[in-house]
Amino acid sequence: MAQITAAMVKELREKTDAPMMECKKALAEADGDTSKAEEILRVKLGNKVSKAASRVAAEGVVAIDIDDDGKLGAIVEVNSETDFVAKNADFLQFASELARLVAANAPANVEALASLPISGGTVEATRMALIGKIGENISIRRFARIEAKGRLASYVHGGSKIGVLVDLVGGNDDLGKDVAMHIAASKPKSLDASGVPADLLDTERRIAVEKAREAGKPEAMLDKIADGTVQKYLREVTLLGQVFIKAADGKQTMEQLLQASGARVEKFVLYVVGEGIEKKQADFAAEVAAMATARA
């Protein structure tokens, strides 16, 4: 039996917002496995304990560059420590230049991008100079480049905190903008079911079975209940399965919208600034106490 520490309970509580005792019980049941404990809490308390999956901690911006023909584009996320710096003119210009560089040069990774020439030297030299000027760490987190089979559409929202790049085949510019806006608002994990990782589907299935079992459902019905739950989950997390945010009847799916327009989405990229990055939370009281101790 693994030892359940206060730090483990605190970490799980911060991730799930579940009561402390429930976190402790779940960790004990999972023998200290935090991921398994989170799954146990979801069975008991529902999806509300998954809020950490969408928590955005880091600051920065998403920048997008598309050529005049709409055939070539790039999207890049650049991070900073504070939102104040994310609004700095030099920082924003740096992010925009990176998007143009990615589109023009197709670097293999962030390291390759860092070595490319930019006004005043290399990207890395410029980044370091910007850090020295602003006095805050700046990092290039990720980027994507698309050579469109159709025409590229984009959407940036919330002070450049959310960025979408879409390759739309068929349709028109208005449809492209609507699709990009929908993606920014609904945040699909993939285009269709084929892009959803199998482990996520397995998790949803296990949770559905356990919840149904705890609700007293017959064993013979568990697989059918799980199948229904997985299909509902796929409709929620795939672009084609989601209900279009501007649907007049509140029922039209993105797949139906695209079919009605004789169009299809070949590919999309969605970046949410700081998604998946855990930001260190400063404990002001602890810092004051530490300073007082050091002075004593």
Side-chain angles (χ1 to χ4, degrees), residues 39-295:
E39 189 172 310
I40 291 170
L41 287 172
R42 282 192 60 194
V43 171
K44 293 181 178 179
L45 304 177
N47 289 335
K48 66 180 182 180
V49 300
S50 294
K51 71 169 191 175
S54 60
R55 183 182 299 146
V56 177
E59 300 297 342
V61 295
V62 176
I64 294 175
D65 183 76
I66 300 175
D67 69 6
D68 293 338
D69 295 329
K71 289 292 186 180
L72 177 63
I75 180 171
V76 60
E77 178 185 348
V78 186
N79 295 125
S80 60
E81 292 181 50
T82 65
D83 186 53
F84 178 77
V85 167
K87 297 174 181 176
N88 177 278
D90 292 333
F91 179 84
L92 293 172
Q93 182 180 347
F94 179 60
S96 295
E97 289 180 355
L98 291 180
R100 286 193 289 272
L101 276 177
V102 170
N105 295 276
N109 49 41
V110 172
E111 290 73 23
L113 172 59
S115 66
L116 290 176
I118 196 173
S119 55
T122 64
V123 167
E124 179 61 14
T126 302
R127 184 182 75 89
M128 294 302 294
L130 198 55
I131 290 173
K133 179 179 180 180
I134 293 176
E136 187 171 306
N137 190 28
I138 293 167
S139 63
I140 306 167
R141 185 185 183 197
R142 54 183 173 171
F143 64 80
R145 181 177 182 271
I146 296 180
E147 295 184 30
K149 291 188 176 180
R151 183 174 175 83
L152 291 174
S154 67
Y155 182 70
V156 177
H157 180 75
S160 299
K161 300 299 183 186
I162 301 174
V164 178
L165 192 58
V166 183
D167 180 1
L168 181 70
V169 179
N172 54 35
D173 290 345
D174 288 339
L175 178 63
K177 182 178 180 180
D178 279 345
V179 172
M181 289 178 64
H182 172 94
I183 293 170
S186 300
K187 300 178 179 60
K189 293 182 181 297
S190 67
L191 177 61
D192 55 29
S194 67
V196 180
D199 61 329
L200 290 182
L201 299 182
D202 290 342
T203 297
E204 293 301 316
R205 179 175 290 277
R206 284 197 307 271
I207 291 171
V209 168
E210 290 304 316
K211 290 179 73 172
R213 187 173 283 138
E214 288 193 2
K217 301 296 183 182
E219 288 290 323
M221 292 179 59
L222 296 184
D223 284 342
K224 185 175 182 180
I225 291 172
D227 287 342
T229 299
V230 168
Q231 290 306 311
K232 180 176 182 293
Y233 174 75
L234 287 172
R235 289 194 295 272
E236 292 172 349
V237 302
T238 59
L239 175 61
L240 297 184
Q242 291 176 339
V243 174
F244 177 40
I245 57 171
K246 293 170 65 175
D249 61 358
K251 296 180 180 180
Q252 184 184 37
T253 65
M254 286 298 299
E255 184 172 25
Q256 292 168 340
L257 172 69
L258 291 165
Q259 287 177 346
S261 303
R264 76 174 194 275
V265 172
E266 180 67 25
K267 182 179 182 180
F268 75 85
V269 179
L270 164 67
Y271 283 170
V272 178
V273 169
E275 186 176 40
I277 297 177
E278 198 64 35
K279 189 178 187 180
K280 182 179 179 181
Q281 298 296 321
D283 187 336
F284 181 71
E287 288 182 7
V288 171
M291 290 173 63
T293 300
R295 291 173 180 173

